[in-house]
PDB file of all heavy atoms in Angstrom:
ATOM      1  N   TRP T 396       5.770 -12.674 -10.860  1.00  0.00           N
ATOM      2  CA  TRP T 396       6.511 -13.895 -11.195  1.00  0.00           C
ATOM      3  C   TRP T 396       7.769 -13.955 -10.343  1.00  0.00           C
ATOM      4  O   TRP T 396       8.531 -12.996 -10.266  1.00  0.00           O
ATOM      5  CB  TRP T 396       6.873 -13.911 -12.683  1.00  0.00           C
ATOM      6  CG  TRP T 396       5.696 -14.207 -13.552  1.00  0.00           C
ATOM      7  CD1 TRP T 396       4.900 -13.313 -14.202  1.00  0.00           C
ATOM      8  CD2 TRP T 396       5.155 -15.506 -13.845  1.00  0.00           C
ATOM      9  NE1 TRP T 396       3.897 -13.971 -14.881  1.00  0.00           N
ATOM     10  CE2 TRP T 396       4.038 -15.319 -14.691  1.00  0.00           C
ATOM     11  CE3 TRP T 396       5.525 -16.812 -13.499  1.00  0.00           C
ATOM     12  CZ2 TRP T 396       3.272 -16.384 -15.177  1.00  0.00           C
ATOM     13  CZ3 TRP T 396       4.764 -17.858 -13.986  1.00  0.00           C
ATOM     14  CH2 TRP T 396       3.656 -17.649 -14.812  1.00  0.00           C
ATOM     15  N   TYR T 397       7.950 -15.127  -9.708  1.00  0.00           N
ATOM     16  CA  TYR T 397       9.105 -15.360  -8.856  1.00  0.00           C
ATOM     17  C   TYR T 397       9.887 -16.556  -9.384  1.00  0.00           C
ATOM     18  O   TYR T 397       9.365 -17.419 -10.092  1.00  0.00           O
ATOM     19  CB  TYR T 397       8.664 -15.679  -7.408  1.00  0.00           C
ATOM     20  CG  TYR T 397       7.948 -14.578  -6.682  1.00  0.00           C
ATOM     21  CD1 TYR T 397       6.572 -14.396  -6.832  1.00  0.00           C
ATOM     22  CD2 TYR T 397       8.628 -13.730  -5.821  1.00  0.00           C
ATOM     23  CE1 TYR T 397       5.905 -13.395  -6.152  1.00  0.00           C
ATOM     24  CE2 TYR T 397       7.964 -12.726  -5.133  1.00  0.00           C
ATOM     25  CZ  TYR T 397       6.601 -12.573  -5.307  1.00  0.00           C
ATOM     26  OH  TYR T 397       5.949 -11.586  -4.630  1.00  0.00           O
ATOM     27  N   ARG T 398      11.125 -16.612  -8.931  1.00  0.00           N
ATOM     28  CA  ARG T 398      11.978 -17.745  -9.259  1.00  0.00           C
ATOM     29  C   ARG T 398      12.590 -18.234  -7.945  1.00  0.00           C
ATOM     30  O   ARG T 398      12.983 -17.422  -7.109  1.00  0.00           O
ATOM     31  CB  ARG T 398      13.066 -17.280 -10.217  1.00  0.00           C
ATOM     32  CG  ARG T 398      13.948 -18.359 -10.737  1.00  0.00           C
ATOM     33  CD  ARG T 398      14.862 -17.756 -11.808  1.00  0.00           C
ATOM     34  NE  ARG T 398      15.768 -18.763 -12.327  1.00  0.00           N
ATOM     35  CZ  ARG T 398      16.628 -18.559 -13.309  1.00  0.00           C
ATOM     36  NH1 ARG T 398      16.702 -17.360 -13.879  1.00  0.00           N
ATOM     37  NH2 ARG T 398      17.425 -19.519 -13.713  1.00  0.00           N
ATOM     38  N   GLN T 399      12.634 -19.531  -7.781  1.00  0.00           N
ATOM     39  CA  GLN T 399      13.172 -20.093  -6.546  1.00  0.00           C
ATOM     40  C   GLN T 399      14.193 -21.165  -6.873  1.00  0.00           C
ATOM     41  O   GLN T 399      13.877 -22.168  -7.503  1.00  0.00           O
ATOM     42  CB  GLN T 399      12.040 -20.687  -5.694  1.00  0.00           C
ATOM     43  CG  GLN T 399      12.484 -21.189  -4.345  1.00  0.00           C
ATOM     44  CD  GLN T 399      11.348 -21.794  -3.534  1.00  0.00           C
ATOM     45  OE1 GLN T 399      10.355 -22.252  -4.091  1.00  0.00           O
ATOM     46  NE2 GLN T 399      11.477 -21.773  -2.225  1.00  0.00           N
ATOM     47  N   PHE T 400      15.426 -20.949  -6.399  1.00  0.00           N
ATOM     48  CA  PHE T 400      16.458 -21.954  -6.543  1.00  0.00           C
ATOM     49  C   PHE T 400      16.446 -22.849  -5.303  1.00  0.00           C
ATOM     50  O   PHE T 400      15.978 -22.436  -4.241  1.00  0.00           O
ATOM     51  CB  PHE T 400      17.820 -21.289  -6.716  1.00  0.00           C
ATOM     52  CG  PHE T 400      17.979 -20.598  -8.038  1.00  0.00           C
ATOM     53  CD1 PHE T 400      17.892 -19.222  -8.130  1.00  0.00           C
ATOM     54  CD2 PHE T 400      18.192 -21.325  -9.197  1.00  0.00           C
ATOM     55  CE1 PHE T 400      18.020 -18.578  -9.347  1.00  0.00           C
ATOM     56  CE2 PHE T 400      18.326 -20.693 -10.423  1.00  0.00           C
ATOM     57  CZ  PHE T 400      18.236 -19.313 -10.496  1.00  0.00           C
ATOM     58  N   GLN T 403      16.898 -21.811  -1.537  1.00  0.00           N
ATOM     59  CA  GLN T 403      16.983 -20.363  -1.525  1.00  0.00           C
ATOM     60  C   GLN T 403      15.583 -19.757  -1.514  1.00  0.00           C
ATOM     61  O   GLN T 403      14.594 -20.445  -1.667  1.00  0.00           O
ATOM     62  CB  GLN T 403      17.760 -19.862  -2.749  1.00  0.00           C
ATOM     63  CG  GLN T 403      19.213 -20.269  -2.767  1.00  0.00           C
ATOM     64  CD  GLN T 403      19.969 -19.589  -3.884  1.00  0.00           C
ATOM     65  OE1 GLN T 403      19.626 -18.492  -4.319  1.00  0.00           O
ATOM     66  NE2 GLN T 403      21.015 -20.241  -4.356  1.00  0.00           N
ATOM     67  N   SER T 404      15.557 -18.471  -1.320  1.00  0.00           N
ATOM     68  CA  SER T 404      14.267 -17.806  -1.208  1.00  0.00           C
ATOM     69  C   SER T 404      13.669 -17.535  -2.580  1.00  0.00           C
ATOM     70  O   SER T 404      14.319 -17.689  -3.614  1.00  0.00           O
ATOM     71  CB  SER T 404      14.445 -16.494  -0.458  1.00  0.00           C
ATOM     72  OG  SER T 404      13.213 -15.851  -0.315  1.00  0.00           O
ATOM     73  N   LEU T 405      12.436 -17.122  -2.573  1.00  0.00           N
ATOM     74  CA  LEU T 405      11.793 -16.670  -3.803  1.00  0.00           C
ATOM     75  C   LEU T 405      12.369 -15.304  -4.168  1.00  0.00           C
ATOM     76  O   LEU T 405      12.453 -14.407  -3.320  1.00  0.00           O
ATOM     77  CB  LEU T 405      10.289 -16.503  -3.609  1.00  0.00           C
ATOM     78  CG  LEU T 405       9.422 -17.743  -3.596  1.00  0.00           C
ATOM     79  CD1 LEU T 405       9.564 -18.492  -2.296  1.00  0.00           C
ATOM     80  CD2 LEU T 405       7.978 -17.362  -3.831  1.00  0.00           C
ATOM     81  N   MET T 406      12.731 -15.170  -5.412  1.00  0.00           N
ATOM     82  CA  MET T 406      13.232 -13.890  -5.897  1.00  0.00           C
ATOM     83  C   MET T 406      12.241 -13.338  -6.910  1.00  0.00           C
ATOM     84  O   MET T 406      11.918 -13.994  -7.887  1.00  0.00           O
ATOM     85  CB  MET T 406      14.605 -14.064  -6.541  1.00  0.00           C
ATOM     86  CG  MET T 406      15.672 -14.581  -5.608  1.00  0.00           C
ATOM     87  SD  MET T 406      15.965 -13.464  -4.220  1.00  0.00           S
ATOM     88  CE  MET T 406      16.576 -12.028  -5.071  1.00  0.00           C
ATOM     89  N   LEU T 407      11.780 -12.128  -6.674  1.00  0.00           N
ATOM     90  CA  LEU T 407      10.840 -11.508  -7.591  1.00  0.00           C
ATOM     91  C   LEU T 407      11.529 -11.228  -8.918  1.00  0.00           C
ATOM     92  O   LEU T 407      12.601 -10.608  -8.946  1.00  0.00           O
ATOM     93  CB  LEU T 407      10.293 -10.216  -6.991  1.00  0.00           C
ATOM     94  CG  LEU T 407       9.299  -9.448  -7.843  1.00  0.00           C
ATOM     95  CD1 LEU T 407       8.016 -10.251  -8.038  1.00  0.00           C
ATOM     96  CD2 LEU T 407       8.986  -8.091  -7.203  1.00  0.00           C
ATOM     97  N   MET T 408      10.914 -11.683  -9.996  1.00  0.00           N
ATOM     98  CA  MET T 408      11.460 -11.435 -11.322  1.00  0.00           C
ATOM     99  C   MET T 408      10.804 -10.211 -11.957  1.00  0.00           C
ATOM    100  O   MET T 408      11.478  -9.359 -12.527  1.00  0.00           O
ATOM    101  CB  MET T 408      11.209 -12.637 -12.237  1.00  0.00           C
ATOM    102  CG  MET T 408      11.862 -13.920 -11.785  1.00  0.00           C
ATOM    103  SD  MET T 408      11.393 -15.305 -12.828  1.00  0.00           S
ATOM    104  CE  MET T 408      12.122 -14.829 -14.384  1.00  0.00           C
ATOM    105  N   ALA T 409       9.488 -10.171 -11.873  1.00  0.00           N
ATOM    106  CA  ALA T 409       8.777  -9.103 -12.572  1.00  0.00           C
ATOM    107  C   ALA T 409       7.360  -8.975 -12.035  1.00  0.00           C
ATOM    108  O   ALA T 409       6.802  -9.913 -11.465  1.00  0.00           O
ATOM    109  CB  ALA T 409       8.734  -9.381 -14.071  1.00  0.00           C
ATOM    110  N   GLU T 420      12.510  -6.683 -12.459  1.00  0.00           N
ATOM    111  CA  GLU T 420      13.461  -6.370 -11.409  1.00  0.00           C
ATOM    112  C   GLU T 420      14.866  -6.271 -12.009  1.00  0.00           C
ATOM    113  O   GLU T 420      15.161  -6.810 -13.088  1.00  0.00           O
ATOM    114  CB  GLU T 420      13.425  -7.442 -10.323  1.00  0.00           C
ATOM    115  CG  GLU T 420      12.106  -7.497  -9.574  1.00  0.00           C
ATOM    116  CD  GLU T 420      11.762  -6.199  -8.880  1.00  0.00           C
ATOM    117  OE1 GLU T 420      12.540  -5.760  -8.005  1.00  0.00           O
ATOM    118  OE2 GLU T 420      10.710  -5.616  -9.211  1.00  0.00           O
ATOM    119  N   GLN T 421      15.704  -5.583 -11.281  1.00  0.00           N
ATOM    120  CA  GLN T 421      17.071  -5.387 -11.753  1.00  0.00           C
ATOM    121  C   GLN T 421      17.746  -6.729 -11.966  1.00  0.00           C
ATOM    122  O   GLN T 421      17.685  -7.609 -11.105  1.00  0.00           O
ATOM    123  CB  GLN T 421      17.850  -4.556 -10.723  1.00  0.00           C
ATOM    124  CG  GLN T 421      19.178  -4.046 -11.224  1.00  0.00           C
ATOM    125  CD  GLN T 421      19.806  -3.078 -10.234  1.00  0.00           C
ATOM    126  OE1 GLN T 421      19.337  -2.942  -9.106  1.00  0.00           O
ATOM    127  NE2 GLN T 421      20.847  -2.396 -10.641  1.00  0.00           N
ATOM    128  N   VAL T 423      17.062  -8.926 -14.326  1.00  0.00           N
ATOM    129  CA  VAL T 423      16.233  -9.891 -15.051  1.00  0.00           C
ATOM    130  C   VAL T 423      16.115  -9.433 -16.500  1.00  0.00           C
ATOM    131  O   VAL T 423      15.718  -8.299 -16.768  1.00  0.00           O
ATOM    132  CB  VAL T 423      14.834  -9.993 -14.411  1.00  0.00           C
ATOM    133  CG1 VAL T 423      13.950 -10.951 -15.213  1.00  0.00           C
ATOM    134  CG2 VAL T 423      14.948 -10.448 -12.978  1.00  0.00           C
ATOM    135  N   PHE T 452      12.529 -23.284 -10.293  1.00  0.00           N
ATOM    136  CA  PHE T 452      11.123 -23.388  -9.902  1.00  0.00           C
ATOM    137  C   PHE T 452      10.512 -22.009 -10.066  1.00  0.00           C
ATOM    138  O   PHE T 452      10.964 -21.059  -9.418  1.00  0.00           O
ATOM    139  CB  PHE T 452      11.057 -23.878  -8.459  1.00  0.00           C
ATOM    140  CG  PHE T 452       9.698 -24.350  -8.016  1.00  0.00           C
ATOM    141  CD1 PHE T 452       8.986 -25.276  -8.741  1.00  0.00           C
ATOM    142  CD2 PHE T 452       9.135 -23.865  -6.846  1.00  0.00           C
ATOM    143  CE1 PHE T 452       7.745 -25.725  -8.327  1.00  0.00           C
ATOM    144  CE2 PHE T 452       7.890 -24.312  -6.413  1.00  0.00           C
ATOM    145  CZ  PHE T 452       7.195 -25.231  -7.160  1.00  0.00           C
ATOM    146  N   ILE T 454       7.329 -19.473  -9.833  1.00  0.00           N
ATOM    147  CA  ILE T 454       6.091 -19.336  -9.068  1.00  0.00           C
ATOM    148  C   ILE T 454       5.424 -18.012  -9.417  1.00  0.00           C
ATOM    149  O   ILE T 454       6.101 -16.986  -9.517  1.00  0.00           O
ATOM    150  CB  ILE T 454       6.379 -19.365  -7.550  1.00  0.00           C
ATOM    151  CG1 ILE T 454       7.067 -20.672  -7.162  1.00  0.00           C
ATOM    152  CG2 ILE T 454       5.102 -19.180  -6.741  1.00  0.00           C
ATOM    153  CD1 ILE T 454       7.594 -20.679  -5.738  1.00  0.00           C
TER     154      ILE T 454
ATOM    155  N   LEU O 175       6.700  -8.270  -2.496  1.00  0.00           N
ATOM    156  CA  LEU O 175       7.161  -9.000  -1.326  1.00  0.00           C
ATOM    157  C   LEU O 175       8.642  -9.345  -1.422  1.00  0.00           C
ATOM    158  O   LEU O 175       9.125  -9.742  -2.475  1.00  0.00           O
ATOM    159  CB  LEU O 175       6.356 -10.289  -1.151  1.00  0.00           C
ATOM    160  CG  LEU O 175       4.885 -10.122  -0.770  1.00  0.00           C
ATOM    161  CD1 LEU O 175       4.163 -11.452  -0.826  1.00  0.00           C
ATOM    162  CD2 LEU O 175       4.768  -9.526   0.621  1.00  0.00           C
ATOM    163  N   VAL O 176       9.338  -9.213  -0.300  1.00  0.00           N
ATOM    164  CA  VAL O 176      10.718  -9.662  -0.173  1.00  0.00           C
ATOM    165  C   VAL O 176      10.709 -10.814   0.815  1.00  0.00           C
ATOM    166  O   VAL O 176      10.229 -10.663   1.951  1.00  0.00           O
ATOM    167  CB  VAL O 176      11.628  -8.526   0.324  1.00  0.00           C
ATOM    168  CG1 VAL O 176      13.036  -9.047   0.574  1.00  0.00           C
ATOM    169  CG2 VAL O 176      11.637  -7.378  -0.674  1.00  0.00           C
ATOM    170  N   PHE O 177      11.234 -11.953   0.412  1.00  0.00           N
ATOM    171  CA  PHE O 177      11.159 -13.171   1.213  1.00  0.00           C
ATOM    172  C   PHE O 177      12.480 -13.503   1.886  1.00  0.00           C
ATOM    173  O   PHE O 177      13.565 -13.198   1.369  1.00  0.00           O
ATOM    174  CB  PHE O 177      10.777 -14.367   0.331  1.00  0.00           C
ATOM    175  CG  PHE O 177       9.344 -14.376  -0.093  1.00  0.00           C
ATOM    176  CD1 PHE O 177       8.944 -13.719  -1.238  1.00  0.00           C
ATOM    177  CD2 PHE O 177       8.390 -15.057   0.652  1.00  0.00           C
ATOM    178  CE1 PHE O 177       7.609 -13.732  -1.640  1.00  0.00           C
ATOM    179  CE2 PHE O 177       7.064 -15.072   0.262  1.00  0.00           C
ATOM    180  CZ  PHE O 177       6.676 -14.406  -0.880  1.00  0.00           C
ATOM    181  N   GLY O 178      12.382 -14.180   3.015  1.00  0.00           N
ATOM    182  CA  GLY O 178      13.529 -14.842   3.603  1.00  0.00           C
ATOM    183  C   GLY O 178      13.764 -16.160   2.875  1.00  0.00           C
ATOM    184  O   GLY O 178      13.026 -16.527   1.949  1.00  0.00           O
TER     185      GLY O 178
END
Side-chain angles (χ1 to χ4, degrees):
Chain T
W396 286 97
Y397 296 85
R398 185 173 179 176
Q399 185 181 25
F400 290 103
Q403 295 188 28
S404 181
L405 283 75
M406 299 299 296
L407 180 65
M408 298 175 65
E420 295 300 300
Q421 192 172 10
V423 177
F452 194 52
I454 301 170
Chain O
L175 292 172
V176 175
F177 287 88

